[in-house]
Amino acid sequence: MNTALDVRELLNEAAAHYRGRPHAVAMLRECLERLEEPLRVGFAGTPGTGKSTLVSALAEWPTRALRELDLFDTPAPAEHVDATVRLVRHLEPDELAGTRPVGGSPFARQTAVNSVLVLGRADEVGAGRIDALLTAKQLARRAWREDPDCAGFQGVIAVAGQLGYAGRALRDDEFEVLRALASVTRPELERYLLSVDSFVDDPFPVAVPPESRKHLVSRFGLYGVRLAITLIRTGCESRLKLSAELVHRSGLGDLRDTLAGCFVARADALKARTAVVRLEGLLAAEPLPHGDRLAARVERFAAAAHDFRELRLIAGIRGGRTALSGEIAEEAVRLLGAQGLAPTERLGLEPDADPAEIHAAAEGALVRWRQEAERPDAAHAERAAARVIVRSVEGLLSLFVA
């Protein structure tokens, strides 16, 4: 199935049916135009979750993948976004309940294909201890595996947005101030790092003026200042090394990679999904006298779009919600396109592999996964997962049909 092509046909057919209703035709034409635009990713969350900081940090990251996304943090109707990053401050039931979709069609509620959950203030976990980010990442992974409220996402990522943003833009003068602070012995400096007031206002053992300390806190947060000093003491002796380590620890790179793998690689399918959701809404709000056939086509598309089956299964495997594990799980997510959609990427081959090698690898994978799909001792869910993978491999082999 060519998802984007099928959706174009659906939209054009719908426009013909609605030709007597100019506002409906305009909306459908807009949907067609959006298929040519960058993928729109909306950052949603309550005030204080760090949306603006996170969007700024990602938008200014000069990577090819992120340049293909249109990122924004302003509230917008659901039809204005193709994918969503939902931010929370805590992985608590009450807060997570607000991330679940309500209403709409079954297709619109399938959030696993186009949503990522972010614990947006990861440095606050564990009262801001120096190991806060590691603890937050462990909590995020456990929540994705075990918490039903987190099951409907392509991933749960812990991010300290302020730290990542400041780390990426670390200046020479800021590094020199941090290095001066790191020169003070740990016992002597520790009491100044207990609170923002102590750090900014108390007389200091080194000649770092209050204005410089206040600037550091506003840019890095007190946790970020403590972490940066620790990293300098343990080997980050240059600005570039410290910058890279702060970004790595912040989780910003994890989020970037998740956006690239889940959203950029599936941009056409996700834009097509947005168009179908809007078409579903139009059909529900303004039924056509003889629109049963069109509605049936939309329903079949929602049920059969293989791109979304792949994404939901990838999320299920990575989140530990299937029986697949170990090497077989690694092969499964690769064949499903988690590491790239090109045949060589799906099959784990070198980019310059010749067609005969690709064909042989695909045939071998097809035999293995057909066996998994037909195993009498496997659970129904396991066989169903294997059938999705079989369909993916069959799609690879279809490329060789003349």
Side-chain angles (χ1 to χ4, degrees):
M1 170 182 278
N2 186 322
T3 303
L5 182 60
D6 285 354
V7 168
R8 289 182 189 283
E9 291 177 357
L10 274 177
L11 293 173
N12 282 316
E13 181 179 343
H17 281 286
Y18 280 99
R19 58 183 175 272
R21 307 182 194 184
H23 66 283
V25 173
M27 187 273 282
L28 294 167
R29 294 301 179 200
E30 180 188 0
C31 289
L32 281 165
E33 291 171 2
R34 284 192 180 178
L35 294 176
E36 303 298 331
E37 297 175 356
L39 189 79
R40 299 183 177 191
V41 181
F43 284 65
T46 56
T49 51
K51 286 187 302 174
S52 299
T53 300
L54 204 51
V55 171
S56 298
L58 290 168
E60 296 176 15
W61 203 331
T63 65
R64 178 181 176 184
L66 292 181
R67 283 197 297 269
E68 296 177 17
L69 300 177
D70 184 5
L71 309 176
F72 58 94
D73 69 341
T74 54
E79 66 265 20
H80 290 177
V81 300
D82 306 301
T84 304
V85 177
R86 298 189 179 276
L87 284 88
V88 294
R89 290 188 72 158
H90 311 96
L91 296 172
E92 301 294 339
D94 289 348
E95 197 165 354
L96 291 175
T99 68
R100 290 197 293 267
V102 295
S105 68
F107 192 34
R109 292 197 300 269
Q110 292 170 356
T111 58
V113 303
N114 76 328
S115 295
V116 169
L117 183 67
V118 169
L119 178 59
R121 302 290 290 269
D123 51 312
E124 296 178 352
V125 172
R129 295 192 307 266
I130 202 67
D131 62 349
L133 293 177
L134 178 60
T135 301
K137 291 179 182 182
Q138 292 170 341
L139 288 173
R141 285 194 293 269
R142 187 180 307 124
W144 194 34
R145 289 194 308 267
E146 301 174 4
D147 192 331
D149 286 329
C150 297
F153 295 94
Q154 280 292 307
V156 180
I157 315 294
V159 180
Q162 182 182 22
L163 179 65
Y165 187 39
R168 280 207 56 249
L170 179 64
R171 305 195 309 251
D172 287 330
D173 61 314
E174 293 169 338
F175 176 74
E176 291 304 324
V177 173
L178 288 166
R179 187 160 62 176
L181 294 173
S183 68
V184 181
T185 64
R186 184 176 286 104
E188 190 177 6
L189 187 62
E190 194 62 32
R191 75 175 186 87
Y192 296 97
L193 297 173
L194 294 176
S195 71
V196 171
D197 289 342
S198 297
F199 182 72
V200 172
D201 297 332
D202 289 359
F204 236 59
V206 289
V208 177
E211 295 78 14
S212 296
R213 287 176 263 150
K214 184 176 181 180
H215 170 77
L216 285 183
V217 170
S218 68
R219 288 266 286 136
F220 294 84
L222 189 61
Y223 171 83
V225 171
R226 288 201 301 262
L227 178 61
I229 290 171
T230 299
L231 290 173
I232 291 172
R233 286 171 174 164
T234 55
C236 289
E237 70 278 3
S238 71
R239 180 185 63 81
L240 291 178
K241 283 187 177 180
L242 180 60
S243 173
E245 189 62 24
L246 290 174
V247 172
H248 170 70
R249 301 246 182 160
S250 74
L252 196 62
D254 296 336
L255 179 58
R256 176 203 60 187
D257 293 344
T258 299
L259 295 183
C262 295
F263 295 163
V264 175
R266 305 280 180 163
D268 288 344
L270 291 171
K271 287 185 287 185
R273 177 188 182 277
T274 302
V276 172
V277 170
R278 296 191 70 184
L279 177 54
E280 283 183 313
L282 177 62
L283 289 169
E286 300 186 38
L288 293 164
H290 304 288
D292 293 349
R293 179 176 171 274
L294 179 60
R297 281 196 64 191
V298 171
E299 193 172 326
R300 285 197 301 273
F301 173 85
H306 188 67
D307 293 277
F308 309 134
R309 290 178 177 174
E310 288 185 326
L311 282 169
R312 285 191 288 274
L313 184 51
I314 290 169
I317 293 171
R318 285 181 163 172
R321 294 182 294 277
T322 73
L324 301 176
S325 62
E327 291 184 4
I328 193 170
E330 291 177 10
E331 182 187 19
V333 295
R334 191 186 70 239
L335 289 169
L336 291 166
Q339 297 173 16
L341 302 184
T344 51
E345 292 170 323
R346 287 184 185 255
L347 294 165
L349 302 175
E350 293 298 321
D352 58 353
D354 62 64
E357 184 181 1
I358 295 172
H359 188 270
E363 284 193 324
L366 184 60
V367 170
R368 289 194 302 278
W369 285 98
R370 276 181 174 166
Q371 290 173 344
E372 290 292 325
E374 296 167 1
R375 276 178 49 201
D377 60 329
H380 171 75
E382 194 174 345
R383 294 198 302 272
R387 286 195 293 271
V388 174
I389 298 166
V390 166
R391 172 66 184 83
S392 296
V393 180
E394 288 174 342
L396 296 179
L397 286 169
S398 71
L399 300 174
F400 293 89
V401 177

